[in-house]
Amino acid sequence: MEPHFYHVDLDWNAQRKGILSSPELTLHNGPTIEVATPPEFPQGIPGIWSPEHLFTAAVSSCLMTTFLSVAENSKLAFVDFSCKAHGKLETIDGKFLMSEIVLEPTVTITDEKDRERAERVLQKSEAACLISNSVKSKVTMITMINVQRP
């Protein structure tokens, strides 16, 4: 596969806040994302996406997109996918580090016989997730498989 490039522009607008956009997305009037220093830091601002949130979201959303591909290729019938993610920021050797991401994906299937397949698809998705494979943070996955009853 040839290399792919993803472009992000950041413009500071006030205090500890900026606006993220991407020329690939704004060609189609794509959304911007306001980002700020999180409130745990001096002059941080609550209620706005932080780099730490975006880092955690990148791992979680990559798991989802990888799951969707693996599930399609595995012909797994499912009716819902969701994922809670928790990023841990701590100081290690005097440096701030996102040391761990805990992913809690939930897959809803319609037939109990697909439970093991759904679990295998989640495990394959975790192993193939390019963002998880690109970061040095520990990534832990705690799965939940639900069966939707008619």
Side-chain angles (χ1 to χ4, degrees):
M1 175 190 288
E2 292 293 318
H4 297 279
F5 296 91
Y6 301 88
H7 304 92
V8 174
D9 297 331
L10 175 63
D11 293 305
W12 170 74
N13 64 353
Q15 302 166 321
R16 301 270 175 125
K17 297 188 295 185
I19 301 292
L20 281 173
S21 63
S22 172
E24 292 102 353
L25 302 177
T26 55
L27 291 174
H28 307 288
N29 296 319
T32 60
I33 300 173
E34 186 174 41
V35 294
T37 302
E40 296 80 16
F41 291 93
Q43 299 181 43
I45 303 169
I48 298 176
W49 282 89
S50 70
E52 295 81 359
H53 287 102
L54 294 169
F55 183 87
T56 304
V59 176
S60 178
S61 59
C62 186
L63 177 69
M64 180 198 73
T65 57
T66 306
F67 170 83
L68 295 173
S69 177
V70 174
E72 181 180 344
N73 290 334
S74 300
K75 299 189 181 1
L76 172 67
F78 68 97
V79 294
D80 194 37
F81 175 94
S82 63
C83 186
K84 294 186 183 306
H86 313 278
K88 181 180 181 182
L89 173 71
E90 60 182 329
T91 305
I92 299 176
D93 297 329
K95 294 181 180 181
F96 289 116
L97 181 70
M98 291 297 289
S99 61
E100 183 177 12
I101 305 293
V102 177
L103 300 171
E104 298 178 1
T106 300
V107 175
T108 303
I109 55 177
T110 58
D111 195 326
E112 181 66 39
K113 72 175 177 53
D114 290 330
R115 181 179 295 276
E116 285 183 32
R117 179 187 290 173
E119 185 65 43
R120 281 194 312 274
V121 167
L122 280 169
Q123 297 303 324
K124 285 181 183 179
S125 301
E126 179 188 29
C129 177
L130 70 94
I131 299 296
S132 293
N133 291 333
S134 299
V135 301
K136 64 181 181 179
S137 306
K138 176 183 177 187
V139 178
T140 304
M141 189 171 72
I142 303 166
T143 62
M144 171 76 72
I145 310 293
N146 292 329
V147 179
Q148 181 179 359
R149 306 286 180 204

